[in-house]
Amino acid sequence: MYIVCLDMEGIVTPEIWIEFSKVTGIPELTRTTRDEPDYDKLMHYRMDILNEHGLGLREIQNTIAKIDPLPGAKEFIDELRKFTQVIILSDTFTQFAMPLIEKLGWPLLMCNELTVYSDSDESGNKKAGMISGYKMRTLEEGGTKLSAVRALQSTGYDTIAVGDSFNDLAMIRASQTGFLFRSTDAIKAANPDLQAFEEYSELLAAIKEVHGV
Amino acid sequence: MYIVCLDMEGIVTPEIWIEFSKVTGIPELTRTTRDEPDYDKLMHYRMDILNEHGLGLREIQNTIAKIDPLPGAKEFIDELRKFTQVIILSDTFTQFAMPLIEKLGWPLLMCNELTVYSDSDESGNKKAGMISGYKMRTLEEGGTKLSAVRALQSTGYDTIAVGDSFNDLAMIRASQTGFLFRSTDAIKAANPDLQAFEEYSELLAAIKEVHGV
């Protein structure tokens, strides 16, 4: 039995931090895992910038509510659901992703959680609503995506993983089948054995072929 | 981070075999896991009856297409999705469940698969379309539901399991939180420490309380 594991940003939604950077006019926030493979380093870099600019969760969520999934992404997921199971695996955070997940028709999302300073925090009101840190769902080597793929395999599934970035390679390599989608030239060149697609129609056809439908 | 694991039949859909029994007029098919805890014994009993009556997958699916989810089940799942992740864990089969899963808005379904005789089967055309057997996703002790709960926990989730039958007790007991829903008096009496609910509104409130929302 197959289960399809889709990375979120770049695969079915835009890069949230890049969109956020555009609206807020803070170019430093365009940095993503494509540029900085060390996720913890990247997150602390982002949180420092947000705190410097006094931007909290509410401002971020107001921005994300304006973002739409990538054109054709919902239709792609709708087609997949007719013949297989679909999970969105992401290193993003519940608080960021849910408005986009709703627009995609509520596919299952496995990701992480942000922690936010509350009004009652000892640090005082000036920090209320600011991002205090983040909780990864697992600290297992290879991150939450690889951990999820291994968990699904442990309960009898063959996984088909789709991603675009450095941090997708572990789940792609651990899966029975893995595809690159709208990846960088560097990642495609470094992984010539992986099939790489640019259009949902191609990716859908490849996933159907694995299923024999 | 929480993930809600709902048993399917009795929780969000009717018992498929009981509905099938009504339409076909075969009372022996009303037997379920509530009556026979040994699932393999139950499935072979069912397959023998289907073969005796010449009923194949097509007839079963035509019946299932007429069945609706339990009243209020889709609205219950819609509410859950606003604040948590939801998985349907079932010992049923993909081929049976998908028309109902579609009516529920495509929540993730983890279940098993039927095998069906094909036209080209050596046994000849007279068996084509008949159910030849079934593949459980895992043969781990405790079944596919317990295996799925353990897998989700291994990737960092606290599970909240909801079920009604003997074969739900393992996943309920293995979960951080477990509830009975519309269960039998015998199961409730044998498990007095488990909270038992009859209405979606009560169950929703209990799940919200666990989440602190």
Side-chain angles (χ1 to χ4, degrees):
Chain A
M1 294 184 71
Y2 294 105
I3 200 158
V4 177
C5 301
L6 303 174
D7 173 43
M8 189 178 86
E9 295 174 73
I11 308 300
V12 291
T13 74
E15 296 283 344
I16 291 177
W17 289 97
I18 290 178
E19 294 299 307
F20 189 73
S21 162
K22 284 182 196 164
V23 175
T24 57
I26 307 173
E28 299 95 308
L29 288 176
T30 57
R31 201 164 173 79
T32 74
T33 49
R34 290 193 184 194
D35 310 296
E36 174 51 72
D38 184 331
Y39 192 71
D40 187 60
K41 201 182 280 185
L42 180 65
M43 274 305 296
H44 280 96
Y45 168 87
R46 287 164 169 170
M47 288 191 287
D48 288 346
I49 294 171
L50 292 171
N51 283 323
E52 279 168 26
H53 288 78
L55 296 170
L57 185 61
R58 181 167 303 183
E59 291 79 13
I60 298 169
Q61 288 186 314
N62 286 345
T63 304
I64 292 164
K66 296 172 197 159
I67 303 174
D68 283 321
L70 295 176
K74 179 167 189 305
E75 293 75 12
F76 168 64
I77 290 174
D78 288 347
E79 283 302 308
L80 285 178
R81 286 169 142 179
K82 290 178 186 170
F83 66 93
T84 191
Q85 299 299 314
V86 184
I87 294 183
I88 310 294
L89 291 189
S90 176
D91 283 331
T92 191
F93 305 97
T94 307
Q95 293 94 332
F96 285 11
M98 289 315 278
L100 283 157
I101 290 296
E102 181 176 3
K103 290 180 185 180
L104 289 169
W106 299 112
L108 189 83
L109 172 70
M110 291 186 165
C111 66
N112 301 296
E113 282 197 343
L114 287 174
T115 54
V116 175
Y117 290 112
S118 67
D119 284 334
S120 58
D121 195 278
E122 282 181 18
S123 60
N125 273 337
K126 69 179 164 53
K127 281 198 174 175
M130 300 301 292
I131 294 167
S132 60
Y134 66 96
K135 283 189 297 191
M136 302 303 275
R137 220 178 53 245
T138 169
L139 297 175
E140 196 178 305
E141 194 184 351
T144 48
K145 295 182 192 185
L146 176 60
S147 162
V149 158
R150 286 188 174 145
L152 293 165
Q153 290 171 339
S154 79
T155 186
Y157 284 102
D158 284 359
T159 58
I160 300 173
V162 183
D164 65 342
S165 305
F166 286 113
N167 70 346
D168 298 317
L169 290 173
M171 74 163 178
I172 287 174
R173 291 292 174 192
S175 287
Q176 277 77 7
T177 308
F179 300 118
L180 294 172
F181 186 69
R182 298 183 183 170
S183 191
T184 63
D185 288 343
I187 290 174
K188 285 188 275 190
N191 297 275
D193 59 317
L194 294 178
Q195 280 189 276
F197 303 110
E198 302 300 320
E199 300 300 329
Y200 289 122
S201 57
E202 302 167 333
L203 180 58
L204 182 65
I207 294 171
K208 281 188 171 179
E209 194 182 333
V210 175
H211 284 74
V213 294
Chain B
M1 294 184 69
Y2 294 105
I3 200 158
V4 177
C5 300
L6 303 174
D7 173 42
M8 189 179 86
E9 295 173 73
I11 308 300
V12 291
T13 73
E15 295 283 343
I16 291 176
W17 290 97
I18 290 177
E19 294 297 308
F20 188 73
S21 162
K22 283 182 196 164
V23 175
T24 55
I26 306 173
E28 299 95 309
L29 288 177
T30 57
R31 200 164 174 79
T32 74
T33 49
R34 291 192 184 196
D35 310 296
E36 173 52 71
D38 184 331
Y39 192 70
D40 187 61
K41 201 181 281 184
L42 180 64
M43 275 304 297
H44 280 96
Y45 168 87
R46 288 164 168 169
M47 288 190 288
D48 287 347
I49 293 171
L50 292 171
N51 283 323
E52 279 168 26
H53 288 78
L55 296 169
L57 185 61
R58 181 167 303 182
E59 291 78 15
I60 297 170
Q61 288 185 315
N62 285 345
T63 304
I64 292 164
K66 295 172 196 158
I67 302 175
D68 282 322
L70 294 175
K74 180 167 189 305
E75 294 75 11
F76 168 64
I77 290 174
D78 287 348
E79 283 302 309
L80 285 178
R81 286 169 143 178
K82 290 179 185 169
F83 67 92
T84 192
Q85 299 299 315
V86 184
I87 293 182
I88 310 295
L89 291 189
S90 177
D91 283 330
T92 191
F93 305 96
T94 308
Q95 293 94 331
F96 284 12
M98 290 315 278
L100 283 157
I101 290 295
E102 180 175 4
K103 291 180 184 179
L104 290 168
W106 298 112
L108 189 83
L109 171 70
M110 291 186 166
C111 66
N112 300 296
E113 282 197 343
L114 288 175
T115 53
V116 175
Y117 289 112
S118 67
D119 284 333
S120 57
D121 194 278
E122 282 181 19
S123 58
N125 273 336
K126 68 179 165 54
K127 281 198 173 176
M130 300 302 293
I131 295 168
S132 59
Y134 66 96
K135 282 189 297 189
M136 301 304 274
R137 221 179 51 246
T138 169
L139 297 175
E140 198 178 303
E141 193 184 353
T144 48
K145 295 182 191 184
L146 176 60
S147 161
V149 158
R150 284 187 175 145
L152 293 164
Q153 291 171 339
S154 79
T155 186
Y157 284 103
D158 284 358
T159 58
I160 299 173
V162 183
D164 65 342
S165 304
F166 286 113
N167 69 345
D168 298 317
L169 290 173
M171 74 162 179
I172 288 174
R173 292 293 175 191
S175 287
Q176 278 77 8
T177 307
F179 299 119
L180 293 172
F181 187 69
R182 298 183 183 171
S183 190
T184 62
D185 288 342
I187 291 174
K188 286 189 273 190
N191 297 275
D193 59 317
L194 294 178
Q195 282 190 275
F197 303 110
E198 302 300 320
E199 300 300 328
Y200 289 122
S201 58
E202 302 167 333
L203 180 59
L204 182 65
I207 294 171
K208 280 189 171 178
E209 195 181 334
V210 176
H211 284 74
V213 295

